[in-house]
Amino acid sequence: MRSSFDILKAEDMEKINQTFVLGFILLGLSEYPKIEIVYFVVILSMYLVILIGNGVLITASIFDSHLHSPMYFFLGNLSFLDICYTSSSVPSTLVSLISKKRNISFSGCAVQMFLGFAMGSTECLLLGMMAYDRYVAICNPLRYPVIMSRVVCVLMASMSWLSGGINSTVQTSLAMRLSFCENNVINHFTCEILAVLKLACTDISLNIVTMMVSNMAFLVLPLLVIFFSYMFILYTILRMNSATGRHKAFSTCSAHLTVAIIFYGTIFFMYAKPKSQELLGENKLQASDKLISLFYGVVTPMLNPIIYSLRNKDVKAAVKYLLNKKPIQ
């Protein structure tokens, strides 16, 4: 007959076993093995375009004096962020697709979640600040050098990175303190926070509340800044008498507006409405959810340098200069 101490000890051990998991299994596209090699080639190609395209933009913004302005300073930050974001998840996704190695350690999952959430939060703020920069440049051009001084731009960018890191630290800490019992299969390409929350076997009300607050601060507020900035920009442009001036103003804003629409269109679909615990308890993501996540995680960073290169003559000229080594006319 076992003593009460032995029973208590056994119960404690069982509780510990149910609370902690050593790692997770990323399901990815394992249910579609025949197309994994196709996705490997596609994602690898996109990743190379991301590295090259954003790398060229960063190099151009540093070495070309024509791009030493607040708009291109923020663009350089955005390009660096896209490289960091994709590099935190794409290499592991490629390894899992080609080698069938789908396991990730608990700490590795936490790091991946932190980096992904931090980069996403920071990008929201950067897009909002880029919209404000365009507002000042077009609606208040005489005071633009004073308002958007180098010190101010560095502070704005630094606050974006710091705020994104703090937000991600809070969200990641709350997610990884949860109990996951014996369920450690993540039906996703990466340790995406909502996919991890689906595995929790304890109350996630606090996670939902903090994520709603995060959505307001990092999704809604920057989006409002973008919306009202472009409303004022549109009003100012329509009042211009010069057709050339209107065209120039539109051309400087079109690239950023396109990037913002693509970014927010995908991220709002995934994160704007935190699901209830009942919905989070479902085991399967629809194929469309995975494709949207892939679009947000890979396609959007790939399109950013392409859009800015095609729709901005200064960037286009700087890239030509870097590639051809010919003076910019």
Side-chain angles (χ1 to χ4, degrees), residues 115-296:
L115 291 174
F117 211 91
M119 297 302 107
S121 302
T122 303
E123 185 160 358
C124 290
L125 297 181
L126 282 177
L127 289 174
M129 292 180 179
M130 292 173 74
Y132 176 74
D133 169 73
R134 291 299 83 207
Y135 158 74
V136 177
I138 294 174
C139 300
N140 204 349
L142 297 180
R143 298 191 60 197
Y144 180 70
V146 177
I147 297 175
M148 299 300 295
S149 65
R150 183 170 184 81
V151 174
V152 171
C153 291
V154 171
L155 286 175
M156 291 171 69
S158 300
M159 286 303 298
S160 297
W161 286 92
L162 180 61
S163 300
I166 293 174
N167 180 46
S168 183
T169 299
V170 173
Q171 299 297 336
T172 303
S173 299
L174 290 176
M176 303 313 285
R177 71 170 180 79
L178 296 172
S179 299
F180 297 101
C181 302
E182 298 178 356
N183 188 6
N184 68 336
V185 179
I186 301 175
N187 195 7
H188 210 280
F189 295 104
T190 63
C191 285
E192 192 267 342
I193 190 166
L194 291 184
V196 173
L197 290 181
K198 290 175 182 290
L199 307 182
C201 56
T202 53
D203 181 54
I204 60 170
S205 300
L206 180 59
N207 301 78
I208 293 176
V209 171
T210 56
M211 191 169 291
M212 290 178 65
V213 174
S214 174
N215 287 340
M216 291 298 298
F218 290 88
L219 285 177
V220 178
L221 290 182
L223 184 60
L224 289 176
V225 171
I226 294 173
F227 176 78
F228 284 109
S229 294
Y230 277 103
M231 287 297 99
F232 285 115
I233 289 172
L234 181 62
Y235 176 74
T236 302
I237 291 176
L238 293 178
R239 293 180 61 191
M240 292 180 177
N241 296 323
S242 170
T244 303
R246 288 197 297 269
H247 176 74
K248 183 178 180 181
F250 272 122
S251 65
T252 61
C253 297
S254 59
H256 172 263
L257 187 59
T258 303
V259 168
I261 290 173
I262 294 174
F263 177 81
Y264 273 97
T266 52
I267 201 171
F268 254 100
F269 189 89
M270 292 190 296
Y271 294 112
K273 295 179 180 179
K275 301 175 183 179
S276 65
Q277 179 149 7
E278 289 75 20
L279 288 176
L280 287 172
E282 295 176 358
N283 290 326
K284 290 196 174 183
L285 284 171
Q286 298 298 322
S288 60
D289 295 325
K290 291 186 178 182
L291 292 177
I292 289 171
S293 175
L294 177 66
F295 183 83
Y296 166 68

Side-chain angles (χ1 to χ4, degrees), residues 16-27 101-113 176 178-187 190-191 195-196 199:
I16 291 174
N17 290 334
Q18 289 181 341
T19 302
F20 296 101
V21 293
L22 297 177
F24 295 97
I25 298 174
L26 299 172
L27 206 56
K101 180 184 177 183
R102 308 186 189 280
N103 59 301
I104 184 172
S105 66
F106 188 86
S107 58
C109 184
V111 170
Q112 193 176 78
M113 185 189 301
M176 303 313 285
L178 296 172
S179 299
F180 297 101
C181 302
E182 298 178 356
N183 188 6
N184 68 336
V185 179
I186 301 175
N187 195 7
T190 63
C191 285
V196 173
L199 307 182

Side-chain angles (χ1 to χ4, degrees), residues 47-64 67 72 75-80 82-83 301-302 304-306 308-310 314-325:
Y47 184 52
L48 292 177
V49 172
I50 290 169
L51 295 179
I52 296 172
N54 286 289
V56 169
L57 276 182
I58 293 172
T59 305
S61 66
I62 293 174
F63 293 103
D64 195 302
L67 303 185
Y72 300 111
L75 178 58
N77 274 265
L78 187 64
S79 295
F80 179 69
D82 284 338
I83 291 176
M302 181 190 70
N304 287 352
I306 296 174
Y308 274 100
S309 297
L310 293 177
D314 292 332
V315 174
K316 195 183 301 184
V319 171
K320 287 181 179 179
Y321 171 72
L322 289 174
L323 296 178
N324 300 325
K325 301 298 182 181

